Amino acid sequence: MRARTSFIHAADLHLGSPLKGIGEKDPLLADTLRRAVACAFDRMIDRAIDFEVDFVLIAGDIFDSEEPSYADMMRFVDGMERLRRAGIPVFAVTGNHEHSSAWQRGFASLPDNVQVFSGEHTEYGMVYRDGRALCAIVGRGFASGPIEDELPAMGADAVFRACGREAPFAVGLLHTGLDIDRKIAPVSPQALRATHLDYWALGHIHRRCCDDAVDPRIAFPGCVQGRDTGEPGDCGCNLVHLEEGMPNRVEFVHLSPVAWERVCVDVAGAASVLDLEHRIARILSDRADALRSELLLARVVIEGSGGLRDALLERGVLSDMRERLNGMRAGFACDSIECRVAVPVDRNALYGQGMFPAALMAGLDGLWEDRARLRDVLAQGFGERGLALPDFSDDDLGDLFDGAQDELLAMLLGGRHA
């Protein structure tokens, strides 16, 4: 009979996440999201027990801080105790947001079913079923710099030697940016595959991704609860099934009570601000219905061009609209509403006139084509104000660039509120 095992692979719990930006803007939404982070963790414990898994892996960033609060530590301890009573062992590694010294503060001790791997050296564990070795676990907590020098100690043969016995399966556990974020303990996927482990449970990248849809060997489950639009959609953990001689199977397990999305709404055809508000409500309601999370938390961007721009930019209009939408209690809420409605501009006509707007657009087009120069210009501007340039993606940079260009043209053409 072929050996088989199943386990939960979770990462990036971020218990105690401060959510400062949201809290300053809307304490009620901040409290909702803060409770959502804790709720997602509790649901992970529930699912592990419901699925009767053999063990649980947590790939770093259990907490959001090196000095988590007593309440956050006790929530984690209580969850581990529930798993202990269910007979489920837990293996965890530290992440870049925390340190193993957090457990030396005297708040509480972890139950004996939990093994936390620190960042000092490679560590090992073994899962047993009916007294027989089932799965060897190898891992190392977060340590700055590349980790490939540690990989010889993480190969399957080395793991079984260190554990003193062989098992049907061997699984690795790391908090790493892999080759996606080379600032955080980078390592190549090829180097991980060369260890010949059955599965690598990774953390740090806050989105779900696997190296192979048919037979995944390297996987990130994403965070258990998104905290901004950079962590959109339903979030959760992986339920992993390993069976001798068969492809690995990884199932997504939904956990997040709240789902973030950036929602763009075109102003075209809206007869009034109220008409646009109704359109936004319909779009948000449809998006919320398509998600498994109980609440959609949206950042709404109103775009396009049209005559409503001036009305939308009247003092208090957008904040009042946001408050009205949030008062509907319809499965969605707005974290913010931003107006990026452009003044209607015939750019071809402006180019044809050969006046200053044409020269301005030509210069901006050239700057956008030379993306490296654009980033240098922005870095200089930020540096003059004592700020570091944020790590903008090209999409984010494009949104900012288009918005700035629209505002410049609006000023030149006499648009209100420009």
Side-chain angles (χ1 to χ4, degrees), residues 72-139:
D72 291 327
M73 290 195 76
M74 291 313 300
R75 179 173 291 276
F76 183 70
V77 169
D78 290 345
M80 299 301 100
E81 178 60 27
R82 288 181 59 204
L83 293 176
R84 186 195 67 78
R85 291 196 297 268
I88 299 174
V90 180
F91 301 87
V93 294
T94 53
N96 60 300
H97 275 255
E98 64 208 345
H99 194 273
S100 57
S101 62
W103 297 103
Q104 299 169 11
R105 297 159 67 203
F107 284 169
S109 297
L110 286 167
D112 59 11
N113 63 315
V114 182
Q115 184 174 348
V116 178
F117 299 159
S118 71
E120 297 177 1
H121 51 79
T122 298
E123 299 181 57
Y124 308 90
M126 184 67 77
V127 178
Y128 295 88
R129 181 192 291 158
D130 300 327
R132 295 182 178 181
L134 176 65
C135 185
I137 312 294
V138 58

Side-chain angles (χ1 to χ4, degrees), residues 103-418:
W103 297 103
Q104 299 169 11
R105 297 159 67 203
F107 284 169
S109 297
L110 286 167
D112 59 11
N113 63 315
V114 182
Q115 184 174 348
V116 178
F117 299 159
S118 71
E120 297 177 1
H121 51 79
T122 298
E123 299 181 57
Y124 308 90
M126 184 67 77
V127 178
Y128 295 88
R129 181 192 291 158
D130 300 327
R132 295 182 178 181
L134 176 65
C135 185
I137 312 294
V138 58
R140 179 182 177 179
F142 172 73
S144 59
I147 59 175
E148 294 196 9
D149 289 347
E150 287 290 316
L151 292 185
M154 295 182 175
D157 291 341
V159 172
F160 293 137
R161 283 198 304 271
C163 291
R165 67 196 66 198
E166 291 199 9
F169 307 105
V171 171
L173 181 61
L174 286 173
H175 192 81
T176 171
L178 200 61
D179 58 352
I180 301 170
D181 180 0
R182 296 184 179 276
K183 298 176 183 177
I184 301 296
V187 63
S188 72
Q190 293 80 8
L192 292 186
R193 292 191 195 100
T195 61
H196 302 294
L197 299 190
D198 294 287
Y199 181 88
W200 276 98
L202 306 183
H204 176 64
I205 301 301
H206 285 199
R207 65 178 185 273
R208 299 193 303 276
C209 52
C210 292
D211 65 328
D212 188 320
V214 176
D215 186 12
R217 300 278 166 162
I218 302 171
F220 291 96
C223 52
V224 297
Q225 169 60 65
R227 297 168 299 159
D228 56 39
T229 51
E231 301 166 359
D234 294 321
C235 298
C237 62
N238 289 343
L239 174 62
V240 184
H241 304 272
L242 307 181
E243 183 174 355
E244 286 183 313
M246 299 294 289
N248 294 351
R249 289 192 297 120
V250 176
E251 301 176 33
F252 170 65
V253 178
H254 170 252
L255 301 173
S256 58
V258 177
W260 280 88
E261 278 201 20
R262 182 177 182 271
V263 178
C264 297
V265 179
D266 197 322
V267 74
S272 65
V273 174
L274 179 60
D275 187 26
L276 180 63
E277 179 187 301
H278 290 163
R279 179 183 300 176
I280 293 171
R282 288 194 300 272
I283 291 172
L284 293 183
S285 180
D286 289 344
R287 294 284 185 90
D289 288 344
L291 294 165
R292 297 175 64 184
S293 300
E294 293 92 319
L295 175 68
L296 166 65
L297 189 50
R299 289 185 176 171
V300 177
V301 179
I302 303 171
E303 53 187 19
S305 62
L308 286 184
R309 182 179 190 273
D310 289 345
L312 289 168
L313 292 177
E314 290 286 351
R315 184 178 179 86
V317 169
L318 292 180
S319 60
D320 289 347
M321 181 191 292
R322 175 179 172 274
E323 187 173 338
R324 283 169 53 83
L325 287 165
N326 288 355
M328 294 179 182
R329 301 291 187 267
F332 61 78
C334 296
D335 173 56
S336 64
I337 303 180
E338 179 182 356
C339 177
R340 290 193 180 175
V341 178
V343 173
V345 174
D346 186 341
R347 299 195 177 211
N348 290 330
L350 286 177
Y351 269 120
Q353 292 172 8
M355 305 293 284
F356 178 72
L360 175 64
M361 288 190 296
L364 290 172
D365 287 345
L367 187 59
W368 178 247
E369 290 300 319
D370 188 350
R371 215 68 49 82
R373 179 168 163 251
L374 173 59
R375 291 182 184 274
D376 288 342
V377 170
L378 289 174
Q380 181 180 348
F382 273 73
E384 289 171 354
R385 292 160 178 79
L387 302 170
L389 179 67
D391 187 17
F392 293 122
S393 68
D394 277 356
D395 287 344
D396 291 338
L397 193 60
D399 287 344
L400 292 170
F401 192 81
D402 290 344
Q405 187 169 212
D406 288 341
E407 289 300 317
L408 283 170
L409 290 173
M411 286 190 282
L412 287 173
L413 298 175
R416 289 176 60 199
H417 305 287

Side-chain angles (χ1 to χ4, degrees), residues 39-84:
C39 178
F41 167 72
D42 292 342
R43 288 179 176 180
M44 187 265 287
I45 303 298
D46 292 339
R47 302 301 179 267
I49 295 171
D50 292 344
F51 296 145
E52 298 181 338
V53 297
D54 293 306
F55 55 97
V56 169
L57 301 180
I58 304 176
D61 283 354
I62 296 168
F63 303 109
D64 198 69
S65 167
E66 290 186 359
E67 296 185 353
S69 70
Y70 176 66
D72 291 327
M73 290 195 76
M74 291 313 300
R75 179 173 291 276
F76 183 70
V77 169
D78 290 345
M80 299 301 100
E81 178 60 27
R82 288 181 59 204
L83 293 176
R84 186 195 67 78

